[in-house]
Amino acid sequence: MSRCARRGVIALALAMVVTVLWSPGLAIAHDAATIDRETEAALKVLYETTPGAMELSGKARGILVFPNIVKAGFIFGAQYGDGELLRGGRPAGHYNIAAVSYGLQAGVQSFGYAMFLMTDAALSYLDRSGGWEIGVGPSIVVIDQGAAKTLTTTTAQNDIYAFIFDQKGLMAGLGLQGSKITKLNP
């Protein structure tokens, strides 16, 4: 690849990062009623496939659910999804998640993502931050299928537990990624 083409690719990647991660108030792709229905259906799937998630829901101060995140990439990648925060089983706000990545990757996939906010501090951080970058703020533990089988409310001692579920498609690779969660004000 020529030096000029390489610079063009880098400039495009930087423009994508700035646009995706720092755009104020990206539009909600769905109306609130649609997000409510999709969130309810996504949690049903999660609870049926991962009983530990159901147990955590009883102790969680809030559950941030992104029912359908779409991720695509070839060397450069991006993902986006709309979701909502549930408090006491009721909708308490709408959010989006956006991410960009760079590395050896190729494919397209969709998946659900649920974050169980276990402490008042984690919920407060989400409320007061103008946007939340994963890796900054409260500690997050991503639970895979194997770990979920041994997770109980007595062993759950972290601020946030995250579940990735209902994956469709194929995305393979290795790369660096930055994510941002932003509250939407429709």
Side-chain angles (χ1 to χ4, degrees), residues 1 9 12-13 16 71-78 101-108 170-174:
M1 180 183 288
V9 169
L12 179 64
M16 189 170 77
K71 181 177 184 177
F74 181 75
I75 301 178
F76 294 100
S101 56
Y102 171 76
L104 299 172
Q105 60 187 330
V108 176
L170 180 62
M171 186 76 184
L174 176 65

Side-chain angles (χ1 to χ4, degrees), residues 82-152:
D82 292 322
E84 75 181 344
L85 175 66
L86 301 173
R87 287 188 189 171
R90 298 181 178 264
H94 293 98
Y95 292 78
N96 68 27
I97 185 168
V100 295
S101 56
Y102 171 76
L104 299 172
Q105 60 187 330
V108 176
Q109 79 174 159
S110 66
F111 56 93
Y113 186 57
M115 300 174 76
F116 290 74
L117 295 98
M118 304 305 291
T119 63
D120 289 329
L123 193 55
S124 175
Y125 185 82
L126 178 64
D127 285 340
R128 74 176 185 273
S129 64
W132 185 13
E133 295 181 47
I134 301 293
V136 178
S139 63
I140 299 173
V141 176
V142 178
I143 305 295
D144 64 15
Q145 291 279 344
K149 292 178 182 169
T150 61
L151 182 67
T152 67

Side-chain angles (χ1 to χ4, degrees), residues 18-68:
V18 170
T19 301
V20 171
L21 293 181
W22 287 281
S23 293
L26 292 170
I28 295 179
H30 300 98
D31 61 89
T34 301
I35 294 174
D36 291 347
R37 283 192 307 274
E38 289 177 353
T39 296
E40 185 177 326
L43 280 177
K44 183 178 178 186
V45 168
L46 175 62
Y47 294 157
E48 287 172 355
T49 58
T50 313
M54 180 65 153
E55 189 174 339
L56 278 180
S57 70
K59 283 189 77 175
R61 300 284 191 237
I63 304 171
L64 184 56
V65 181
F66 296 97
N68 187 36

